[in-house]
Amino acid sequence: RKPEGDVPYVMAAIDKAVATAAQNNVIVDWSKIYVYGLANGAFMAHRLLCEKPGMFAAAASYTGSTDFALEDTCTKNLATSPTSLLQIHGTLDTVVPYGGTPWWPGSEESARLVAEWNQCNLESPLTTESRLNTNPFVSYAVTSTRYEGCASNNVVEEWRVHGMDHLPGIAGGGLVEVSRKAVDWLLDESAVS
């Protein structure tokens, strides 16, 4: 029977994957389950972070946002089960605008809200500049804003990718490289929290 609703559907898919692994004598470490979403999946990553506290080791969102409607749920649940988040967004995204819409906050505000819900130090985030090389010919400037001093030693970080659109050069490997960097971040951050 198919579960009703998006969150139950995702949780049932995770349960099924774990059950299949067990049938094949693969042991799943529940403390190493991550959520990473792209576009609509990025909105879902935020939702799962708030609605399933403690379920995921860390979360990453590429071209998505949190939802103003989840504020009460997120405030309550992340206060008791803080979870690290990486928020990635291109400044030229016209599908899910970097600055947000009346219905959802922009990337910078999403990261700040999740940092607030995770009880991070909002007064002095660390800001750094770097480059994201998506292939031998394309490189983007990245401004990273990192909130530390959070409950449970977790972090919330936003990567503002200057000049990147919604789906960066799929044929040129841009999306692959962004995803590779996001997975590296998830593994690194969950190891310290």
Side-chain angles (χ1 to χ4, degrees):
R1 179 168 184 229
K2 183 178 173 183
E4 292 184 26
D6 295 331
V7 172
Y9 179 82
V10 171
M11 299 312 294
I14 292 169
D15 289 343
K16 185 174 182 177
V18 170
T20 300
Q23 289 172 353
N24 291 296
N25 297 318
V26 175
I27 298 171
V28 174
D29 181 350
W30 282 92
S31 70
K32 302 288 185 210
I33 296 178
Y34 304 89
V35 59
Y36 171 46
L38 164 70
N40 280 339
F43 284 90
M44 179 55 72
H46 275 277
R47 187 169 168 196
L48 289 166
L49 183 73
C50 290
E51 291 189 20
K52 292 298 178 183
M55 175 69 197
F56 301 100
S61 165
Y62 175 71
T63 71
S65 174
T66 191
D67 186 334
F68 291 127
L70 290 174
E71 186 166 4
D72 290 342
T73 300
C74 296
T75 299
K76 180 182 77 160
N77 290 344
L78 290 177
T80 57
S81 295
T83 305
S84 292
L85 170 76
L86 173 61
Q87 173 74 30
I88 308 167
H89 214 115
T91 59
L92 295 183
D93 188 342
T94 57
V95 177
V96 179
Y98 176 83
T101 72
W103 301 278
W104 65 78
S107 182
E108 186 177 354
E109 180 67 2
S110 284
R112 194 199 64 72
L113 282 168
V114 174
E116 179 182 321
W117 299 331
N118 271 283
Q119 303 169 34
C120 302
N121 176 0
L122 302 178
E123 299 302 316
S124 54
L126 305 171
T127 302
T128 58
E129 302 291 332
S130 63
R131 302 285 312 169
L132 174 64
N133 300 315
T134 57
N135 67 44
F137 308 104
V138 180
S139 177
Y140 295 96
V142 177
T143 301
S144 171
T145 302
R146 183 177 173 94
Y147 296 93
E148 296 182 330
C150 309
S152 298
N153 214 21
N154 62 311
V155 300
V156 175
E157 188 166 348
E158 187 224 9
W159 293 351
R160 180 182 317 150
V161 187
H162 301 276
M164 187 177 275
D165 60 12
H166 188 67
L167 297 175
I170 293 173
L175 188 56
V176 171
E177 190 55 29
V178 169
S179 294
R180 183 177 296 128
K181 298 279 187 194
V183 169
D184 288 346
W185 187 95
L186 287 168
L187 295 173
D188 289 346
E189 291 308 323
S190 67
V192 296
S193 47

